[in-house]
């Protein structure tokens, strides 16, 4: 009888009493969950009596307020998370991202990026998550690059071609930073994402090698060549140009890049791994300059490849300059501390 009371205040009082109770009458809780938002919200956010199918149905048919209430639930199962990611509003997606108890499957993260990745609040909330999959992080960076490119073109700050080129370069550099923190299955997921979005190009793979990220380089070739990663690693350590060229050819990379890959690998084998971040930066610059010098005297090298290598050389030189300045400041601080002592 109280469910039929014309005053929403009565039904709201019932909802507040029954919201946290596992012993509440299930029929009454079900009816309250379908009431107007001021009545239904406590039930939707807290009631343990609502089953997953009920919640999925309410997400599909409810408004933004009801979706947000469900997104805030503790122990939110993957099926409900997937429903919110698929049809929920941006506000509900944001609540879901910030819910530490939500069980978001990888494809739900990707769907949120696809639908709402152009919104700054969504990007910021996702990028601060430590356990965000590398592929999702890369997709967010791509969304950000695309949004910024559209912004500067709309304001006539850059032409569409120039803005697109700058955005791609920034996206590729960010991909290297993401890959540097990725390992194992997370790295393989990133590589699959890059391939699916047509980002796994010869330029990006060459950038990975010239950045010293052999794990990304190996994973990319394994993905493109459809070979086990252990087999690819063995071929790369063979130090024979024939096996390297066969691997690159099977991966579908253009032959004009084979020499650049060969020289870069040769420098890696000669110098091994760097012990410090500064040593790694200097090794990268040495590698880039040696590859550029070789290709500049190679008649088979094309102008696009040389342009790409010159851009890499500029980036590595600037990065080394930053490291050099940081080291000078660090030494100066140590000296001042010693004088003060």
């Amino acid at each position: 009888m109280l469910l039929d009371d014309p005053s929403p205040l009565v039904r709201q009082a019932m909802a507040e009493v029954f919201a946290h109770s596992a012993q509440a009458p299930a029929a009454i809780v079900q009816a309250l969950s379908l009431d107007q938002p001021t009545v239904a919200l406590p039930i939707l956010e807290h009631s343990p009596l609502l089953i997953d199918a009920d919640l999925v149905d309410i997400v599909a048919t409810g408004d933004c307020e009801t979706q947000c209430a469900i997104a805030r639930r503790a122990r939110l199962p993957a099926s409900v998370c997937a429903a919110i990611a698929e049809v929920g509003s941006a506000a509900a997606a944001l609540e879901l991202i910030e819910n530490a108890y939500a069980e978001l499957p990888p494809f739900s993260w990707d769907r949120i990026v696809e639908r709402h990745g152009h919104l700054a609040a969504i990007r910021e909330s996702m990028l601060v998550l430590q356990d965000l999959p590398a592929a999702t992080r890369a997709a967010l960076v791509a969304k950000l690059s695309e949004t910024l490119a559209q912004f500067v073109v709309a304001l006539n700050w850059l032409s569409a071609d120039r803005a697109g080129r700058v955005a791609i370069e920034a996206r590729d550099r960010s991909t290297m930073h993401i890959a540097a923190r990725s390992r194992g299955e997370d790295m393989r997921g990133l590589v699959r994402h890059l391939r699916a979005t047509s980002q796994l190009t010869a330029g990006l793979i060459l950038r990975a090698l010239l950045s010293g990220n052999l794990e990304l380089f190996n994973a990319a070739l394994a993905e493109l060549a459809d070979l086990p990663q252990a087999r690819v690693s063995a071929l790369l350590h063979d130090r024979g140009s024939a096996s390297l060229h066969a691997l690159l050819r099977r991966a579908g990379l253009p032959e004009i890049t084979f020499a650049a890959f060969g020289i870069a690998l040769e420098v890696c084998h000669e110098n091994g791994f760097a012990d410090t971040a500064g040593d790694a930066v200097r090794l990268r610059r040495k590698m880039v300059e040696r590859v550029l010098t070789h290709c500049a005297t190679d008649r088979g090298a094309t102008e696009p490849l040389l342009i790409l290598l010159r851009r890499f050389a500029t980036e590595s030189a600037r990065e080394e300059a930053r490291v050099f300045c940081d080291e000078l400041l660090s030494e100066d601080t140590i000296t001042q501390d010693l004088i003060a002592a």
Side-chain angles (χ1 to χ4, degrees):
M1 291 177 63
L2 291 176
L3 285 173
D4 294 328
D5 194 293
S7 172
L9 295 178
V10 173
R11 303 193 303 279
Q12 186 175 347
M14 293 174 64
E16 291 172 354
V17 170
F18 289 146
H20 296 274
S21 174
Q23 286 76 41
I28 294 180
V29 169
Q30 180 70 20
L32 291 171
S33 71
L34 301 176
D35 209 315
Q36 66 189 55
T38 55
V39 175
L41 293 184
I43 296 291
L44 295 176
E45 184 171 348
H46 301 292
S47 178
L49 299 180
L50 295 178
I51 64 173
D52 297 353
D54 292 334
L55 295 171
V56 169
D57 183 64
I58 295 171
V59 166
T61 59
D63 59 13
C64 179
E65 278 188 289
T66 59
Q67 291 174 349
C68 288
I70 293 174
R72 290 192 293 268
R73 287 175 66 91
R75 297 181 295 278
L76 198 61
S79 59
V80 183
C81 292
I84 295 173
E86 186 64 33
V87 300
S89 64
L94 186 58
E95 293 282 4
L96 188 63
I97 293 166
E98 296 177 348
N99 186 346
Y101 303 101
E103 301 175 6
L104 272 82
F107 66 85
S108 292
W109 285 115
D110 296 338
R111 188 62 177 141
I112 291 174
V113 173
E114 184 180 346
R115 296 184 63 232
H116 306 298
H118 61 286
L119 300 174
I122 295 288
R123 290 196 305 269
E124 291 170 4
S125 295
M126 293 181 72
L127 287 173
V128 297
L129 300 175
Q130 295 298 321
D131 57 349
L132 189 69
T136 305
R137 199 175 292 275
L140 277 173
V141 168
K143 279 283 187 180
L144 175 59
S145 300
E146 179 184 341
T147 301
L148 291 177
Q150 292 173 354
F151 176 74
V152 297
V153 170
L155 292 178
N156 291 321
W157 290 352
L158 292 175
S159 66
D161 290 341
R162 175 62 177 161
R165 188 161 57 250
V166 171
I168 290 173
E169 291 174 7
R171 183 196 65 194
D172 288 350
R173 287 195 296 271
S174 297
T175 299
M176 292 301 106
H177 290 299
I178 294 169
R181 298 187 295 172
S182 305
R183 297 291 182 272
E185 185 56 38
D186 199 31
M187 175 69 80
R188 289 187 286 273
L190 172 62
V191 169
R192 288 192 294 269
H193 165 78
L194 294 174
R195 186 180 189 183
T197 54
S198 302
Q199 296 180 56
L200 200 60
T201 62
L204 183 69
I205 297 172
L206 183 58
R207 180 188 284 274
L209 180 57
L210 294 176
S211 298
N213 194 330
L214 292 180
E215 186 170 355
L216 175 58
F217 179 62
N218 290 0
L221 291 182
E223 174 70 20
L224 292 175
D226 193 22
L227 290 172
Q229 198 159 338
R231 175 62 176 157
V232 171
S233 297
L235 290 172
L236 294 178
H237 284 85
D238 186 25
R239 298 201 181 190
S241 60
S243 58
L244 174 62
H245 290 182
L247 176 61
L248 296 176
R249 193 172 292 109
R250 175 162 177 161
L253 300 182
E255 293 197 15
I256 58 171
T257 63
F258 287 6
F261 282 114
I263 296 297
L265 272 176
E266 184 180 318
V267 176
C268 280
H269 292 317
E270 289 176 359
N271 294 274
F273 295 97
D275 295 327
T276 66
D279 291 340
V281 170
R282 282 182 276 272
L283 176 58
R284 284 197 290 273
R285 184 177 183 188
K286 179 180 179 181
M287 191 185 308
V288 172
E289 290 184 344
R290 186 158 162 186
V291 172
L292 178 58
T293 300
H294 175 84
C295 291
T297 57
D298 183 4
R299 295 182 179 180
T302 62
E303 189 61 27
L305 176 61
L306 292 175
I307 291 173
L308 183 66
L309 290 172
R310 291 190 193 105
R311 189 157 62 243
F312 289 167
T314 302
E315 290 177 11
S316 62
R318 293 181 67 179
E319 189 176 6
E320 185 179 18
R322 295 188 193 103
V323 170
F324 178 72
C325 291
D326 289 342
E327 291 175 346
L328 283 180
L329 289 173
S330 178
E331 291 175 2
D332 186 52
T333 300
I334 294 173
T335 302
Q336 291 179 5
D337 290 343
L338 289 174
I339 293 174

